[in-house]
Amino acid sequence: MKLNRGVALVGAGMTKFGRHADLSSRELFVEALNKTSASVDRNFDRKMIQALFLGNFTSDLFEHQGHTAPLMADWAGLCPAPATRVEGACASGGLAFRMGVLAIASGLYDVVGVGGYEKMTGLPTPAATDALACASDTSYEGIPGATFPGLYAMMAVAHMRKYGTKWDMLAKISLKNHRNGSINPLAQFNKSIEDIAKGKGFTDVMQFLNDPKSNPVVAWPLRLFDCSPISDGAAAAILVAEEKAKEFTDTPVYITGTGQGSASMGLHDREEFTTLPSAMEASRQAYKMAGVSPKEIQIAEVHDCFTIAELIATEDLGFFQRGEGGKAAAEGRTAREGDRPINTSGGLKCKGHPVGASGVGQIVEHFEQLRGTAGGRQIPDVELSLTHNVGGSGATAVVHIFSTKKP
Ligand code: COA
């Protein structure tokens, strides 16, 4: 199935992800939208935005503020344009982007703003963990005490049992994402793990990662450096009808594939813990729409809320055979110098994971990579890329494919 009308990305921008003690999510969103507006090459005025789709998981719990879409429109000076909040846990941003794509493809709008925001660090870690747990099947998981680190730890154990995956392979994913994030000025952690280890007196980075004080177990076998952090941040993007794209830039990025899938909320209802059926379905739809195979995708931003999630994503998306994701990561195939660079931005692990913003943050990275403006992280000659954004432990997944070429 193709879109009825083509859609192009002409602007994208984000705040730094991290701890923003003095800023609320509305201020973060306005900053992201200002940067996004400035990123459009020409002829753009934000008053052209006809509708807004905004991803946010739960500012209700994090900031005691609901009904946030019109709030953002108001603070951005965009009322009375319709503003709709889209919620799909950590996939909220990716879903908001998809709603923007579909709204233009429907013919209703020509210029749409999409965004995502979350302000998480106002709560102490146990309360933030509790708020996040609302994105699990609370009756069967959250209330009995399973946190997200706990749920992904179960997936890691299952992958280890089934395929012989080793924790060292997960550590390689974290090392790689921190190396990428260390050269991303908007990442929460601007340091490689090698540099963090050196700063704490370790000469051998694996000794640092194996040290229980430096890298404590959060939910076995996942340790601190296997987890994405708790973050604040916002990201935004401007979508336009394909036939209008050249009014705004000579180098639009085309959305050639979009897909979304759902799966059971609770892990207990899944036959397998080593794959996300929602991501399989979302990628199947997106590949079919774009008319491409996994082999052709040059780079991908995948949802690495935990290192095991990146490993499983690279298998679900068809980049590597089942059970081979860990080996591929350990061999450096997913590094910037490898044959399939993954998470050049630093990923959720190092760039940060303000949950409602993360899916749009992934798209900001690819807007830059496909236009050749990603600085030290730039992968040469990127023409085709993919983003993969997951909600909860995989009840929701959304995949987008981007191209420099008109479909
Ligand atoms: N990776 C690496 N370092 C981290 C980190 C992470 N994920 N989170 C915090 N740190 C560092 C901090 O920078 C700080 O370092 P410093 O002592 O050198 O300044 C130190 O660890 C302690 O930070 P703090 O904020 O007190 O950590 P915490 O113990 O309260 O929280 C986690 C750590 C891993 C429990 C928390 O980040 C977490 O819950 N992450 C998962 C979030 C999640 O589930 N998201 C949804 C996914 S579906």
Side-chain angles (χ1 to χ4, degrees), residues 90 125 132 148-149 189 200 224-225 227-230 305-306 349:
C90 308
T125 300
L132 287 166
F148 272 105
F189 300 114
K200 304 219 169 184
L224 181 65
F225 281 87
C227 303
S228 59
I230 289 169
C305 49
F306 299 95
K349 167 66 202 83

Side-chain angles (χ1 to χ4, degrees), residues 19 90 120 124-126 128-129 132 147-149 152 174 178 188-189 196 200 215 218 223-230 303 305-306 348-349 353 355 390-393:
R19 195 176 275 275
C90 308
M120 301 167 73
T125 300
T129 305
L132 287 166
T147 61
F148 272 105
Y152 276 88
S174 185
H178 268 264
Q188 181 157 355
F189 300 114
I196 296 172
K200 304 219 169 184
N215 192 19
V218 175
R223 296 163 172 243
L224 181 65
F225 281 87
D226 290 295
C227 303
S228 59
I230 289 169
H303 194 95
C305 49
F306 299 95
L348 279 43
K349 167 66 202 83
H353 187 21
V355 290
V390 170
S393 56

Side-chain angles (χ1 to χ4, degrees), residues 45-61:
D45 180 323
R46 71 168 62 180
K47 289 282 179 202
M48 292 173 173
I49 295 175
Q50 296 166 298
L52 279 166
F53 293 91
L54 302 171
N56 174 241
F57 169 43
T58 183
S59 48
D60 319 57
L61 295 176

